[in-house]
Structures are given as C-alpha cells and as structure tokens.
Amino acid sequence: MPGDSTFVLTGLQLVIMGDVEADAPDGSIGFTRNSYRKESKEVAVVSEAMPPVTSNKFTREKRSELLMTICLKYPFWNDFRILDFLNKHGIFMTMEELKGLRRECGIDSREDVCLELMRLYFNKEIKLDKKQVQFIERLNLAFRDREFLAARPGDLLVYECIFFRKLNKMFYLHFVFDLFNGYAFGKVSRRCSGEIGLKLLQEKIVPFYRKRGYKVRAILHSIKSTREHWEAEESSIRGSVLAMSIEWLDPKHEFGIIQRFKQDFLDDFFKDAEALDVSLLMIQPAFDRRMIKYNSACPFHQRRNLLGYLDDLESTDRRPLEINCN
C-alpha cells in the first residue's frame, strides 16, 4: 500500500496509514490535542492471528509490545498522543496505567527511548528513519558523529577554530578533541590563523601522544572552522601536517560532540571569566588549568561513553543515557 509505514517488533506489526504521525508545526516535542492532529485515513493495528484489541485475550504482554513499537517508531509522541491513539482503537487505559506500562517496558522517559533506539541501531537490529535520527540527535548531539568511531587514542582528532565574543573583545579558541578518549586541547588567540592550530599540534599535542606511546594518525577539519579567513594558508598547513605523517581530512561534517562540549564546558568557562573580569592575557592560563582538571577525569587509554552507549551494549541491560563532557 503506497504511503504505509510499517515497523515490526517481536512479532507485532503496527501499520500506520496516512498522516497520523504529523508533528507539531513548531517542531516541539509534544502533542496539543486540538492544535495540529490530522488524520486523513484509517489507522489500524494488525497482527497475524492476533485477537481484536477489544478481546479479553489482548493481554498485558501484547499491550507492552504494542507500546514499545509505538514509542520506538514515533519517539516524538508524548503520553497524551499515545493514550489518545490507543483509546481510539479500542485499547482503553488511564494515564496512570499507561505510565505504569511504560515503566514496566523500561521506556518511561525520552532518554530511555533514545538509548533503546541507539542500542538497536548499534546492534544492527533496525535501520533508523529520519524522525528517529532527529529524535536521538536532539537529545544526544554526539550521535551525529556515529560514523567517526576511533579505535585508539590519537586515531581521530577533530580540529575546530571556535569564535567567541566575550569580555567585550573578539577572540578565537583553536580547539582539538580526541574522539576516542575525549581528551581536549586548546589555544586562545586574537587571530583565526590556522598556523596557531598547527603550532599547537606540533609543540604540544604530538609530543603529548608520543610520550604515552601513541601516534596521531589523522586530523579531521571540522566544517565549522572559519575557513574563509585562512583558505589561502590551508594548503601549506596541510603540507606541514602530512610532513608529520598525519592525515589531514576534510569530512564536511559538523561535529556534534564539539557543539556539546561548547555548551557544557566552554560557554560556562567564558561566562565565569567574564563574571570575574579576567583579563584577556589571563584567559589562556585559566583555560589551561581548567583543561588539566577536565582531562584528569578522562582515562587516556579508555574509550569514553561519548555516544551514550557502552561497548557491551548488546546486553539487554538498559543504562542511563550519559554524555560526560564536564
């Protein structure tokens, strides 16, 4: 049937026809009963050899399976919308019963739904659709970087030149982030020149990794680097990086983990610096001290839980969604 959307979970099949999954016009998470719900066609819940939903044989187990299916297929739906859908199709329950069923299923919060979707995705049990990806990325910016999984320290370092306007002045932070263990390095400057980032790499980062028995393999140039200011010097920078036997990659990607780090760490740091009236000359020493404290919490040889999942995610145990960047 054209336009149908089908999602299968443990033998239960949910067929949604028409515009039942319409979201809020403003893109917000939630459902206002009278504001934007539109249903142009019939909606049906079907399953092979499954009794009608009004039958006494429609057990709590079947309800749990159906609820799990709905929550994973339409993660933006809130409890009011789910309850309305169920009641309209003969599965009557109160809001308290729905919340209790969600707790039993282990999906009583948006974070739980997000973590379950990531678990299924990384275990290659499902393919995410556009709405599911949007839902995960809204809660976990680092999920944008799911194709950039490093195997060891120094495997993939992201470089980004971040612009700030604080302390009534404009300046830049040349920032390097290790996608494996979360180690971060930065140099504050009044200039955007990529030569500053190159100097940081040569004088601090490469020796730092060499001392610990690792080699920097690749630098990923983030799409948000303000390239228009230094495109002319990029070729020489690339040449210098390649001369150190390090790959220089330009993936045309905006790294979510950098945005998350900026929100959770950098914005607070510069806000504190402004509140304390720290002079521009003192920002770098203060930043270095903060970074020492931050990096001390990152085991250098251990993969960090940057995507909100663990290496042993194939286990059925659900864990809290975590993105530890501060």
Side-chain angles (χ1 to χ4, degrees):
M1 290 182 288
D4 288 0
S5 176
T6 305
F7 184 81
V8 181
L9 181 68
T10 60
L12 192 66
Q13 188 178 53
L14 177 67
V15 180
I16 302 296
M17 302 162 56
D19 193 28
V20 69
E21 62 171 321
D23 291 313
D26 62 357
S28 60
I29 296 178
F31 169 56
T32 304
R33 214 178 268 271
N34 299 319
S35 62
Y36 62 88
R37 181 178 177 87
K38 296 179 181 178
E39 295 188 28
S40 57
K41 297 182 181 179
E42 179 184 2
V43 180
V45 179
V46 298
S47 177
E48 292 184 10
M50 190 181 83
V53 294
T54 55
S55 168
N56 291 332
K57 294 182 180 180
F58 194 77
T59 63
R60 191 173 186 85
E61 180 182 354
K62 289 292 186 182
R63 293 188 181 196
S64 298
E65 292 176 353
L66 176 58
L67 178 62
M68 179 70 80
T69 301
I70 293 173
C71 289
L72 295 181
K73 180 60 181 175
Y74 303 110
F76 283 106
W77 285 16
N78 68 8
D79 287 346
F80 289 104
R81 188 164 192 176
I82 294 171
L83 190 65
D84 183 67
F85 175 84
L86 294 175
N87 289 340
K88 278 190 174 182
H89 297 91
I91 307 175
F92 300 105
M93 65 178 71
T94 66
M95 180 62 73
E96 289 304 314
E97 289 173 331
L98 174 61
K99 291 181 177 180
L101 193 59
R102 290 192 68 145
R103 284 193 295 270
E104 289 181 18
C105 294
I107 51 170
D108 55 332
S109 69
R110 292 183 301 159
E111 288 76 15
D112 291 330
V113 173
C114 178
L115 184 59
E116 181 65 8
L117 283 171
M118 287 193 294
R119 187 188 71 81
L120 293 170
Y121 169 79
F122 285 111
N123 286 344
K124 304 185 186 303
E125 296 180 44
I126 63 171
K127 291 184 178 180
L128 300 174
D129 62 26
K130 183 178 179 180
K131 290 288 185 182
Q132 290 167 323
V133 170
Q134 288 176 344
F135 175 79
I136 296 173
E137 290 183 352
R138 186 171 296 186
L139 294 179
N140 182 3
L141 287 171
F143 190 69
R144 295 179 186 176
D145 312 331
R146 56 192 175 275
E147 302 299 328
F148 299 91
L149 295 179
R152 59 178 179 78
D155 201 25
L156 295 174
L157 302 184
V158 178
Y159 168 72
E160 184 166 307
C161 184
I162 303 172
F163 169 77
F164 285 95
R165 186 189 294 273
K166 296 288 183 181
L167 307 171
N168 297 318
K169 296 182 182 296
M170 297 185 302
F171 58 92
Y172 300 89
L173 174 64
H174 296 267
F175 186 72
V176 178
F177 190 91
D178 190 319
L179 291 179
F180 178 82
N181 55 23
Y183 260 67
F185 309 84
K187 176 68 175 177
V188 178
S189 174
R190 295 297 301 274
R191 297 186 298 123
C192 180
S193 172
E195 292 288 346
I196 298 171
L198 177 62
K199 187 175 181 181
L200 175 66
L201 178 68
Q202 293 171 327
E203 297 183 357
K204 184 173 182 179
I205 297 175
V206 169
F208 180 88
Y209 279 83
R210 186 184 298 123
K211 183 178 179 180
R212 286 157 179 78
Y214 288 93
K215 180 181 181 298
V216 176
R217 185 185 70 81
I219 302 292
L220 302 173
H221 186 190
S222 174
I223 194 171
K224 285 188 69 64
S225 295
T226 45
R227 296 174 183 164
E228 65 274 12
H229 293 285
W230 57 282
E231 281 183 347
E233 63 181 352
E234 187 171 9
S235 59
S236 63
I237 292 171
R238 183 187 294 108
S240 298
V241 171
L242 293 175
M244 292 186 287
S245 299
I246 300 173
E247 294 183 67
W248 175 265
L249 306 176
D250 193 358
K252 308 294 184 184
H253 179 74
E254 183 177 340
F255 284 87
I257 192 59
I258 301 297
Q259 289 183 288
R260 184 62 189 246
F261 191 91
K262 183 177 182 296
Q263 292 175 8
D264 292 349
F265 182 87
L266 297 179
D267 288 348
D268 287 342
F269 169 77
F270 288 112
K271 182 178 179 180
D272 291 344
E274 192 164 29
L276 296 172
D277 195 25
V278 178
S279 68
L280 194 59
L281 291 176
M282 293 302 297
I283 288 181
Q284 183 66 54
F287 181 79
D288 288 342
R289 288 192 295 272
R290 187 71 68 91
M291 293 308 297
I292 291 172
K293 182 179 179 180
Y294 162 77
N295 285 330
S296 66
C298 309
F300 186 80
H301 305 283
Q302 179 180 323
R303 184 192 299 276
R304 297 202 71 205
N305 187 21
L306 297 176
L307 292 178
Y309 74 101
L310 301 179
D311 288 338
D312 59 344
L313 196 60
E314 62 271 10
S315 69
T316 56
D317 297 331
R318 292 190 178 93
R319 298 174 175 83
L321 179 65
E322 296 178 357
I323 307 173
N324 301 316
C325 283
N326 51 14

